Amino acid sequence: MMPRLYPLPGNEAFTAKLAAELKAQTGLLMVRRFPDSEVLVRYDTPPENQIALVCTLARADMQILPLLFAAGAAHSQGAAGVGLVAPYLGYLRQDQVFNPGEALTSHTFAELLSGSFDWIVTVDPHLHRYTSLDEVYRIPAAAVSASSAVAAWIREQVFEPVVIGPDVESTQWASAIAAEAGAPYTTFLKHRFGDRSVVLTPPDLKRWAGRTPVLIDDIISSGRTMVEALRLLREAGFPAPACIATHAVFSDQAREELAKAGAARIVTTDTIVHPTNEISVVPAVARAVESLTAARLEGAAHSR
Ligand code: R5P
């Protein structure tokens, strides 16, 4: 039996598509803020048996408390299992203490979710120094890949592409997407000097002359990484590149800056609602929810 899906505010469209794909039912969870900004959550559809909350965590500081309150309420109101579908899982980039005295936020955030949920499904989590979510999450955690969906988009939309990852971290996505799109790939080197300050070093790009560059990253946040990559590709004489990211975080004026820097297309998946969403990860997320649910049912049968 599929879990009943409850969207947190802003996640209704993703939840409706996921419910249709899974043939699952949805439920109503009311979330409201008091004048002092404290939050109240209330199940208007009782949380019975297996349920999953759906909440992308692009603004995690605002979203984490409603989620934890809703998970706690579901358990205390009788739900047998409470999962989390978080198409974007924030707080993974601080995966080490970079400077003395800093908090290891990836770890603390994972502890909060692991203590409240029974399983989690997310898409292209930022795994760099962690090799798997299991290193930080102590609940079953599925990391869905957007690569096949992105590769299908490239095959349909770009003639003679060369896939480019703007930094070493992006090699995992660029290589998988290039293989499925039947295209070559390469990566730049990146040094970050601050939130909005990066310096990229490209490899020798001559061998890709004549191809259309497709920049691939997991996240566009400030946009500085993509803007710098666009600048170098334009300087090297390439045609206007397409910029693709799984997660449309887009802080400040990032989208406008990418357009100004010469992006031919700016395309994202639907993990975070944004006008650039052109690729859907819903089918891949549905398969992960199905297999986690099946594994839990099998585990429960064995323990009886
Ligand atoms: C970092 O390693 C990530 O993969 C992205 O490259 C980064 O988060 C993009 O950030 P921004 O858009 O702020 O340059």
Side-chain angles (χ1 to χ4, degrees), residues 88 93 126 128-129 166-170 172-173 190 192 194-198 216-227 249-251 254 258:
Y88 173 66
R93 281 178 288 172
H126 187 83
H128 178 37
R129 276 156 284 259
D167 52 26
V168 172
E169 285 102 315
S170 62
Q172 55 186 304
W173 301 292
K190 177 168 89 180
R192 186 176 280 284
D195 293 345
R196 289 178 175 73
S197 167
V198 297
I216 296 283
D217 212 345
D218 59 336
I219 299 165
I220 299 174
S221 177
S222 72
R224 295 320 304 167
T225 302
M226 286 278 189
V227 164
V249 174
F250 286 110
S251 322
L258 288 190

Side-chain angles (χ1 to χ4, degrees), residues 143-180:
V144 170
S145 169
S147 294
S148 297
V150 171
W153 186 94
I154 294 173
R155 279 199 306 272
E156 275 171 25
Q157 303 280 338
V158 188
F159 181 68
E160 295 276 316
V162 51
V163 173
I164 297 179
D167 52 26
V168 172
E169 285 102 315
S170 62
T171 308
Q172 55 186 304
W173 301 292
S175 60
I177 290 166
E180 282 201 58

Side-chain angles (χ1 to χ4, degrees), residues 13-213:
F14 191 96
T15 305
K17 289 187 280 178
L18 185 58
E21 187 77 26
L22 285 169
K23 298 186 178 35
Q25 294 190 306
T26 58
L28 286 178
L29 173 71
M30 191 279 306
V31 179
R32 90 167 185 91
R33 292 206 179 256
F34 293 105
D36 63 0
S37 89
E38 286 193 356
V39 72
L40 173 71
V41 302
R42 182 187 70 221
Y43 283 94
D44 289 337
T45 309
E48 291 159 352
N49 304 317
Q50 302 295 327
I51 73 156
L53 304 180
V54 181
C55 186
T56 203
L57 286 163
R59 296 289 177 264
D61 293 9
M62 287 298 284
Q63 292 156 329
I64 186 75
L65 275 180
L67 261 188
L68 298 182
F69 292 148
H75 280 120
S76 63
Q77 291 172 34
V82 183
L84 171 62
V85 177
Y88 173 66
L89 183 58
Y91 278 113
L92 272 166
R93 281 178 288 172
Q94 181 79 7
D95 56 3
Q96 76 173 37
V97 173
F98 295 98
N99 299 295
E102 288 176 351
L104 186 57
T105 51
S106 53
H107 185 263
T108 308
F109 194 74
E111 275 300 297
L112 286 172
L113 292 179
S114 298
S116 293
F117 288 93
D118 297 297
W119 53 266
I120 183 167
V121 171
T122 189
V123 182
D124 286 349
H126 187 83
L127 296 174
H128 178 37
R129 276 156 284 259
Y130 299 127
T131 54
S132 133
L133 285 175
D134 298 341
E135 283 177 48
V136 261
Y137 281 80
R138 25 179 196 90
I139 50 176
V144 170
S145 169
S147 294
S148 297
V150 171
W153 186 94
I154 294 173
R155 279 199 306 272
E156 275 171 25
Q157 303 280 338
V158 188
F159 181 68
E160 295 276 316
V162 51
V163 173
I164 297 179
D167 52 26
V168 172
E169 285 102 315
S170 62
T171 308
Q172 55 186 304
W173 301 292
S175 60
I177 290 166
E180 282 201 58
Y185 83 93
T186 187
T187 49
F188 290 7
L189 288 178
K190 177 168 89 180
H191 288 285
R192 186 176 280 284
F193 296 98
D195 293 345
R196 289 178 175 73
S197 167
V198 297
V199 172
L200 302 189
T201 313
D204 184 0
L205 293 166
K206 281 194 214 76
R207 59 193 288 214
W208 316 119
R211 286 183 174 266
T212 303

